[in-house]
Amino acid sequence: ALLIGILALYGCKKAVGTPEDNAASSEEESETEEVKEEDIGYKFGFSAIDMENPYFITLESAIKEVLDKEGYTLVTKNPQSDPDIQNQQILEMIDEGIDAIFICPVNWVEITEALEALREADVKIINVDTQVKEMEYVDAYIGSDNENAGYICGEDLLEKCPDGGKILILECPTQNSINERITGFEKAISSAEAGFEIAGRADTNGEFQKALEITQEMLKEHKDTDVIMCGNDQIAVGATTAVNLAGMRDVIIYGVDGSPDIKKELEKPDTQIAGTAAQSPIGIGKKAAKTGILILDGDEYEKEIYEDVFMINSDNVKMYGADGWQ
C-alpha cells in the first residue's frame, strides 16, 4: 500500500511537464510577444534625396534622436538621387507598416505618385527640407526659409562687388528648396543698379561630382566669370574644386547649408568661398520628429515651420566651428 501511494505521488509530479501544461505556457509566451509588439509604438519612415550627403545624414540622426527617446522606430531607405527608386522604396515602407513618413523629395513633381499611395494607406506625411509640388497631400512641412537664404547671399555679393560682374548659377530645378534659393539670390541682385550679368546657368542635380564637371566646362566658355552662386554646399565644393583646377583665383563662390566642409574652407586665409547661407538640419530634424509624434497622437501642431537662416563667412566662422553642423 505504501509503494502504491509513492508511485501515485510520483505520477502527479510528472504531470507538471505534460503537453497540456506546456500548451498553457505557449499561450503565455504568445501573449508576451504580442505585448512586446505593442510596446514598439509608432513606426516612422525616412526618405531623403541621398544618404551619402552629410546634410541628410545629420537630418536623419536628429530625427532618430527624438524618436529613440520615445521608444519609436525609424526605417530609413536611400533613394540615391533617383526619383523612381524613391517612389518604389516608399511603397516598400507602406508594406512594412509605417504610421508616418519624413520625406525630402528627389524630384518635387515625380514624388506625387508616392504621395497618393501614402494618402491611400492613411500614412501621415511630414515633408522636410524641400517642398513637394502637391502640398495638399502633406500633413506638415518643416524646413528653412530658402528664398531668404539665397537673398542674403545676394545682399552679401552687393557689398563685395558694388561694381557688378559676371555670374554663373549652378542649380537643380527638380528640388524646390534650390529653386527658392536661386530666386531669392536673383531678387537681391536685380534690386541693385550694380550691373550684374548672369552669363550662364546649369542643372547640377545638386551633386558634387556633376557640379565639378559642369563648372569645368562652363569656365572654358566664361573665362571672365566673377561669381558662382550655388544652390547648396555640395555644389559649392564642386565649383571650388573646378575653379582651383582652372587657376582662377579671383572668382568668389556662394553656397547654402553651412556644412562642415564649407566652414573648413572659410577658415583658410586664401579661400574663394565668400560665404554660405547656413541652415540647421539638427533643428529641422528635431522639430520634424516632434511634429510627427503630435500628428500621430492626435494633438495640435503647426502645419508649417520655417527655420531661420544666417550668413557664415570668414569673419564669423569660428563662432560656429567647422567640426559639425549648427
Side-chain angles (χ1 to χ4, degrees), residues 168-170 200-202 214-222:
L168 298 182
I169 291 180
L170 302 181
R201 60 200 312 150
I214 286 174
T215 306
Q216 286 180 304
E217 290 302 312
M218 293 180 80
L219 290 176
K220 290 176 184 176
E221 183 180 352
H222 303 285

Side-chain angles (χ1 to χ4, degrees), residues 295-308:
I295 292 171
L296 292 179
D297 282 345
D299 295 330
E300 291 185 4
Y301 65 94
E302 290 184 63
K303 191 166 177 63
E304 292 186 342
I305 299 174
Y306 291 91
E307 286 275 288
D308 289 334

